[in-house]
Amino acid sequence: MMTVQLDKSKHDRHRFDCGIDALNNYLKLMACQQAKKDNTRTFVLEDESCTEHIIGYYTLTMSPIDLATLPARLQKKHHNVSSGGLIARLAVDQRYKNKGYGEWLLIDALRKLLMASETVAFPLIIVDAKDGAELFYQKYGFTAFQDAHSKLFITIADVRASIGPLV
Ligand SMILES: CC(C)(COP(=O)(O)OP(=O)(O)OC[C@H]1O[C@@H](n2cnc3c(N)ncnc32)[C@H](O)[C@@H]1OP(=O)(O)O)[C@@H](O)C(=O)NCCC(=O)NCCS
């Protein structure tokens, strides 16, 4: 399995339904425009039996970090850092839920951000957990920011340690 960049001439964005309108609409209406402007990148996992069908997607960009909301140990270590990688959205179509695709997409997103950080360094990856998905991210080692439970982070060092060397 591998993700590819969302391609509006190929992928059926209107069929995608993860059960959350904001995430469906982003894919339909915003993702391609935002990519064209170099604001975000959206990657999709295609259904191999019909590659127009999207199993799931995630969107990557960068985000400012409010150092004051990090644990003291990390505030000290990263005191001159202002931004981190952001998994802005991640969703799986309801027809494909509970089959491990969400986990696979999250690991794929972390791997891409880890690779990017080898070129343009940043120490943290942040996620915006929509609709109570905090537990999903906590399961994979993310920690909530002190000021917002729906915003979580993981250090690049922890991602590197769990994913291993990139080939
Ligand atoms: C959250 C979401 C991405 C999970 O995708 P999925 O393909 O159904 O998840 P997986 O099958 O890979 O599940 C992996 C593990 O996470 C757990 N999990 C799945 N969704 C969860 C949730 N919302 N909260 C907590 N744990 C969750 C599963 O039980 C599974 O655990 P297990 O291995 O111990 O059984 C999917 O339900 C979704 O798209 N939800 C709507 C959008 C959303 O909430 N996105 C995330 C925030 S932007």
Side-chain angles (χ1 to χ4, degrees), residues 109-132:
L110 292 174
R111 195 183 293 276
K112 277 203 175 53
L113 287 168
L114 175 59
M115 208 178 292
S117 81
E118 298 289 331
T119 308
V120 182
F122 51 88
L124 299 179
I125 294 174
I126 299 156
V127 293
D128 267 326
K130 307 271 189 306
D131 272 30

PDB file of all heavy atoms in Angstrom, residues 109-132:
ATOM      1  N   ALA A 109       1.778   9.131   7.553  1.00  0.00           N
ATOM      2  CA  ALA A 109       1.919  10.591   7.743  1.00  0.00           C
ATOM      3  C   ALA A 109       3.134  10.897   8.623  1.00  0.00           C
ATOM      4  O   ALA A 109       3.915  11.816   8.323  1.00  0.00           O
ATOM      5  CB  ALA A 109       0.641  11.158   8.377  1.00  0.00           C
ATOM      6  N   LEU A 110       3.311  10.130   9.691  1.00  0.00           N
ATOM      7  CA  LEU A 110       4.460  10.356  10.586  1.00  0.00           C
ATOM      8  C   LEU A 110       5.769  10.102   9.844  1.00  0.00           C
ATOM      9  O   LEU A 110       6.743  10.852   9.998  1.00  0.00           O
ATOM     10  CB  LEU A 110       4.357   9.435  11.811  1.00  0.00           C
ATOM     11  CG  LEU A 110       3.215   9.748  12.780  1.00  0.00           C
ATOM     12  CD1 LEU A 110       3.128   8.671  13.863  1.00  0.00           C
ATOM     13  CD2 LEU A 110       3.391  11.120  13.421  1.00  0.00           C
ATOM     14  N   ARG A 111       5.773   9.078   9.016  1.00  0.00           N
ATOM     15  CA  ARG A 111       6.984   8.765   8.240  1.00  0.00           C
ATOM     16  C   ARG A 111       7.318   9.911   7.278  1.00  0.00           C
ATOM     17  O   ARG A 111       8.477  10.310   7.151  1.00  0.00           O
ATOM     18  CB  ARG A 111       6.741   7.466   7.463  1.00  0.00           C
ATOM     19  CG  ARG A 111       7.984   6.815   6.895  1.00  0.00           C
ATOM     20  CD  ARG A 111       7.614   5.590   6.085  1.00  0.00           C
ATOM     21  NE  ARG A 111       7.071   4.524   6.907  1.00  0.00           N
ATOM     22  CZ  ARG A 111       7.809   3.642   7.578  1.00  0.00           C
ATOM     23  NH1 ARG A 111       9.115   3.697   7.511  1.00  0.00           N
ATOM     24  NH2 ARG A 111       7.250   2.699   8.313  1.00  0.00           N
ATOM     25  N   LYS A 112       6.302  10.463   6.623  1.00  0.00           N
ATOM     26  CA  LYS A 112       6.551  11.577   5.682  1.00  0.00           C
ATOM     27  C   LYS A 112       7.083  12.800   6.432  1.00  0.00           C
ATOM     28  O   LYS A 112       7.994  13.471   5.961  1.00  0.00           O
ATOM     29  CB  LYS A 112       5.255  11.956   4.964  1.00  0.00           C
ATOM     30  CG  LYS A 112       4.960  11.063   3.785  1.00  0.00           C
ATOM     31  CD  LYS A 112       4.048  11.776   2.787  1.00  0.00           C
ATOM     32  CE  LYS A 112       3.840  10.949   1.533  1.00  0.00           C
ATOM     33  NZ  LYS A 112       3.379   9.585   1.753  1.00  0.00           N
ATOM     34  N   LEU A 113       6.502  13.081   7.596  1.00  0.00           N
ATOM     35  CA  LEU A 113       6.962  14.250   8.356  1.00  0.00           C
ATOM     36  C   LEU A 113       8.370  14.019   8.905  1.00  0.00           C
ATOM     37  O   LEU A 113       9.186  14.942   8.934  1.00  0.00           O
ATOM     38  CB  LEU A 113       5.972  14.572   9.475  1.00  0.00           C
ATOM     39  CG  LEU A 113       4.666  15.201   8.984  1.00  0.00           C
ATOM     40  CD1 LEU A 113       3.607  15.228  10.088  1.00  0.00           C
ATOM     41  CD2 LEU A 113       4.903  16.621   8.459  1.00  0.00           C
ATOM     42  N   LEU A 114       8.646  12.790   9.336  1.00  0.00           N
ATOM     43  CA  LEU A 114      10.003  12.478   9.814  1.00  0.00           C
ATOM     44  C   LEU A 114      11.004  12.708   8.682  1.00  0.00           C
ATOM     45  O   LEU A 114      12.058  13.321   8.884  1.00  0.00           O
ATOM     46  CB  LEU A 114      10.040  11.025  10.313  1.00  0.00           C
ATOM     47  CG  LEU A 114      11.410  10.482  10.729  1.00  0.00           C
ATOM     48  CD1 LEU A 114      12.013  11.317  11.851  1.00  0.00           C
ATOM     49  CD2 LEU A 114      11.278   9.018  11.178  1.00  0.00           C
ATOM     50  N   MET A 115      10.645  12.259   7.489  1.00  0.00           N
ATOM     51  CA  MET A 115      11.529  12.438   6.332  1.00  0.00           C
ATOM     52  C   MET A 115      11.731  13.934   6.052  1.00  0.00           C
ATOM     53  O   MET A 115      12.856  14.376   5.822  1.00  0.00           O
ATOM     54  CB  MET A 115      10.907  11.746   5.121  1.00  0.00           C
ATOM     55  CG  MET A 115      11.911  11.264   4.114  1.00  0.00           C
ATOM     56  SD  MET A 115      11.108  10.402   2.763  1.00  0.00           S
ATOM     57  CE  MET A 115      10.500   8.944   3.544  1.00  0.00           C
ATOM     58  N   ALA A 116      10.644  14.710   6.097  1.00  0.00           N
ATOM     59  CA  ALA A 116      10.756  16.158   5.851  1.00  0.00           C
ATOM     60  C   ALA A 116      11.662  16.804   6.898  1.00  0.00           C
ATOM     61  O   ALA A 116      12.461  17.699   6.584  1.00  0.00           O
ATOM     62  CB  ALA A 116       9.365  16.802   5.881  1.00  0.00           C
ATOM     63  N   SER A 117      11.564  16.341   8.136  1.00  0.00           N
ATOM     64  CA  SER A 117      12.338  16.957   9.225  1.00  0.00           C
ATOM     65  C   SER A 117      13.831  16.674   9.102  1.00  0.00           C
ATOM     66  O   SER A 117      14.647  17.336   9.726  1.00  0.00           O
ATOM     67  CB  SER A 117      11.827  16.486  10.586  1.00  0.00           C
ATOM     68  OG  SER A 117      12.353  15.215  10.892  1.00  0.00           O
ATOM     69  N   GLU A 118      14.185  15.671   8.305  1.00  0.00           N
ATOM     70  CA  GLU A 118      15.618  15.404   8.077  1.00  0.00           C
ATOM     71  C   GLU A 118      16.233  16.490   7.194  1.00  0.00           C
ATOM     72  O   GLU A 118      17.433  16.679   7.174  1.00  0.00           O
ATOM     73  CB  GLU A 118      15.802  14.037   7.396  1.00  0.00           C
ATOM     74  CG  GLU A 118      15.319  12.841   8.205  1.00  0.00           C
ATOM     75  CD  GLU A 118      16.195  12.535   9.420  1.00  0.00           C
ATOM     76  OE1 GLU A 118      17.394  12.830   9.371  1.00  0.00           O
ATOM     77  OE2 GLU A 118      15.650  12.018  10.408  1.00  0.00           O
ATOM     78  N   THR A 119      15.380  17.211   6.445  1.00  0.00           N
ATOM     79  CA  THR A 119      15.864  18.279   5.561  1.00  0.00           C
ATOM     80  C   THR A 119      15.659  19.658   6.193  1.00  0.00           C
ATOM     81  O   THR A 119      16.560  20.485   6.223  1.00  0.00           O
ATOM     82  CB  THR A 119      15.115  18.225   4.209  1.00  0.00           C
ATOM     83  OG1 THR A 119      15.205  16.915   3.696  1.00  0.00           O
ATOM     84  CG2 THR A 119      15.702  19.200   3.216  1.00  0.00           C
ATOM     85  N   VAL A 120      14.434  19.902   6.676  1.00  0.00           N
ATOM     86  CA  VAL A 120      14.126  21.183   7.346  1.00  0.00           C
ATOM     87  C   VAL A 120      13.706  20.823   8.774  1.00  0.00           C
ATOM     88  O   VAL A 120      12.568  20.416   8.994  1.00  0.00           O
ATOM     89  CB  VAL A 120      12.984  21.927   6.624  1.00  0.00           C
ATOM     90  CG1 VAL A 120      12.705  23.254   7.292  1.00  0.00           C
ATOM     91  CG2 VAL A 120      13.323  22.133   5.157  1.00  0.00           C
ATOM     92  N   ALA A 121      14.618  20.930   9.702  1.00  0.00           N
ATOM     93  CA  ALA A 121      14.391  20.364  11.040  1.00  0.00           C
ATOM     94  C   ALA A 121      13.240  21.027  11.787  1.00  0.00           C
ATOM     95  O   ALA A 121      13.069  22.245  11.731  1.00  0.00           O
ATOM     96  CB  ALA A 121      15.670  20.488  11.852  1.00  0.00           C
ATOM     97  N   PHE A 122      12.452  20.212  12.453  1.00  0.00           N
ATOM     98  CA  PHE A 122      11.457  20.678  13.434  1.00  0.00           C
ATOM     99  C   PHE A 122      11.301  19.556  14.456  1.00  0.00           C
ATOM    100  O   PHE A 122      11.417  18.368  14.111  1.00  0.00           O
ATOM    101  CB  PHE A 122      10.118  21.055  12.761  1.00  0.00           C
ATOM    102  CG  PHE A 122       9.548  20.007  11.848  1.00  0.00           C
ATOM    103  CD1 PHE A 122       8.725  19.012  12.341  1.00  0.00           C
ATOM    104  CD2 PHE A 122       9.844  20.010  10.487  1.00  0.00           C
ATOM    105  CE1 PHE A 122       8.198  18.046  11.494  1.00  0.00           C
ATOM    106  CE2 PHE A 122       9.327  19.042   9.636  1.00  0.00           C
ATOM    107  CZ  PHE A 122       8.504  18.061  10.140  1.00  0.00           C
ATOM    108  N   PRO A 123      11.090  19.907  15.722  1.00  0.00           N
ATOM    109  CA  PRO A 123      11.179  18.891  16.772  1.00  0.00           C
ATOM    110  C   PRO A 123       9.872  18.213  17.158  1.00  0.00           C
ATOM    111  O   PRO A 123       9.893  17.220  17.890  1.00  0.00           O
ATOM    112  CB  PRO A 123      11.705  19.691  17.973  1.00  0.00           C
ATOM    113  CG  PRO A 123      11.144  21.057  17.776  1.00  0.00           C
ATOM    114  CD  PRO A 123      11.051  21.277  16.294  1.00  0.00           C
ATOM    115  N   LEU A 124       8.731  18.748  16.698  1.00  0.00           N
ATOM    116  CA  LEU A 124       7.437  18.211  17.138  1.00  0.00           C
ATOM    117  C   LEU A 124       6.503  18.016  15.957  1.00  0.00           C
ATOM    118  O   LEU A 124       6.571  18.752  14.973  1.00  0.00           O
ATOM    119  CB  LEU A 124       6.727  19.191  18.091  1.00  0.00           C
ATOM    120  CG  LEU A 124       7.382  19.567  19.405  1.00  0.00           C
ATOM    121  CD1 LEU A 124       6.489  20.568  20.131  1.00  0.00           C
ATOM    122  CD2 LEU A 124       7.618  18.354  20.277  1.00  0.00           C
ATOM    123  N   ILE A 125       5.618  17.040  16.115  1.00  0.00           N
ATOM    124  CA  ILE A 125       4.493  16.870  15.192  1.00  0.00           C
ATOM    125  C   ILE A 125       3.217  17.083  16.000  1.00  0.00           C
ATOM    126  O   ILE A 125       3.073  16.559  17.105  1.00  0.00           O
ATOM    127  CB  ILE A 125       4.504  15.467  14.551  1.00  0.00           C
ATOM    128  CG1 ILE A 125       5.735  15.333  13.639  1.00  0.00           C
ATOM    129  CG2 ILE A 125       3.216  15.222  13.760  1.00  0.00           C
ATOM    130  CD1 ILE A 125       5.937  13.946  13.072  1.00  0.00           C
ATOM    131  N   ILE A 126       2.313  17.871  15.417  1.00  0.00           N
ATOM    132  CA  ILE A 126       1.082  18.261  16.103  1.00  0.00           C
ATOM    133  C   ILE A 126      -0.104  17.674  15.343  1.00  0.00           C
ATOM    134  O   ILE A 126      -0.046  17.544  14.114  1.00  0.00           O
ATOM    135  CB  ILE A 126       1.006  19.808  16.127  1.00  0.00           C
ATOM    136  CG1 ILE A 126       2.201  20.365  16.894  1.00  0.00           C
ATOM    137  CG2 ILE A 126      -0.302  20.307  16.731  1.00  0.00           C
ATOM    138  CD1 ILE A 126       2.554  21.776  16.531  1.00  0.00           C
ATOM    139  N   VAL A 127      -1.160  17.326  16.073  1.00  0.00           N
ATOM    140  CA  VAL A 127      -2.416  16.938  15.396  1.00  0.00           C
ATOM    141  C   VAL A 127      -3.569  17.709  16.014  1.00  0.00           C
ATOM    142  O   VAL A 127      -3.563  18.017  17.209  1.00  0.00           O
ATOM    143  CB  VAL A 127      -2.755  15.422  15.495  1.00  0.00           C
ATOM    144  CG1 VAL A 127      -1.780  14.579  14.745  1.00  0.00           C
ATOM    145  CG2 VAL A 127      -2.924  14.968  16.914  1.00  0.00           C
ATOM    146  N   ASP A 128      -4.561  17.983  15.170  1.00  0.00           N
ATOM    147  CA  ASP A 128      -5.838  18.537  15.618  1.00  0.00           C
ATOM    148  C   ASP A 128      -6.818  17.374  15.615  1.00  0.00           C
ATOM    149  O   ASP A 128      -7.236  16.926  14.556  1.00  0.00           O
ATOM    150  CB  ASP A 128      -6.332  19.595  14.615  1.00  0.00           C
ATOM    151  CG  ASP A 128      -5.888  20.974  14.989  1.00  0.00           C
ATOM    152  OD1 ASP A 128      -5.795  21.256  16.193  1.00  0.00           O
ATOM    153  OD2 ASP A 128      -5.631  21.766  14.064  1.00  0.00           O
ATOM    154  N   ALA A 129      -7.174  16.879  16.770  1.00  0.00           N
ATOM    155  CA  ALA A 129      -8.074  15.718  16.836  1.00  0.00           C
ATOM    156  C   ALA A 129      -9.520  16.204  16.792  1.00  0.00           C
ATOM    157  O   ALA A 129      -9.953  16.940  17.673  1.00  0.00           O
ATOM    158  CB  ALA A 129      -7.819  14.932  18.111  1.00  0.00           C
ATOM    159  N   LYS A 130     -10.228  15.794  15.758  1.00  0.00           N
ATOM    160  CA  LYS A 130     -11.618  16.231  15.609  1.00  0.00           C
ATOM    161  C   LYS A 130     -12.550  15.240  16.309  1.00  0.00           C
ATOM    162  O   LYS A 130     -12.294  14.032  16.316  1.00  0.00           O
ATOM    163  CB  LYS A 130     -12.000  16.303  14.127  1.00  0.00           C
ATOM    164  CG  LYS A 130     -11.074  17.132  13.271  1.00  0.00           C
ATOM    165  CD  LYS A 130     -11.498  18.581  13.236  1.00  0.00           C
ATOM    166  CE  LYS A 130     -10.729  19.405  12.225  1.00  0.00           C
ATOM    167  NZ  LYS A 130      -9.284  19.395  12.304  1.00  0.00           N
ATOM    168  N   ASP A 131     -13.636  15.750  16.855  1.00  0.00           N
ATOM    169  CA  ASP A 131     -14.737  14.905  17.357  1.00  0.00           C
ATOM    170  C   ASP A 131     -14.311  13.745  18.243  1.00  0.00           C
ATOM    171  O   ASP A 131     -14.638  12.582  18.000  1.00  0.00           O
ATOM    172  CB  ASP A 131     -15.528  14.339  16.161  1.00  0.00           C
ATOM    173  CG  ASP A 131     -16.617  15.287  15.731  1.00  0.00           C
ATOM    174  OD1 ASP A 131     -16.427  16.505  15.913  1.00  0.00           O
ATOM    175  OD2 ASP A 131     -17.651  14.810  15.235  1.00  0.00           O
ATOM    176  N   GLY A 132     -13.542  14.041  19.279  1.00  0.00           N
ATOM    177  CA  GLY A 132     -13.219  13.008  20.261  1.00  0.00           C
ATOM    178  C   GLY A 132     -12.233  11.957  19.789  1.00  0.00           C
ATOM    179  O   GLY A 132     -12.210  10.847  20.336  1.00  0.00           O
TER     180      GLY A 132
END
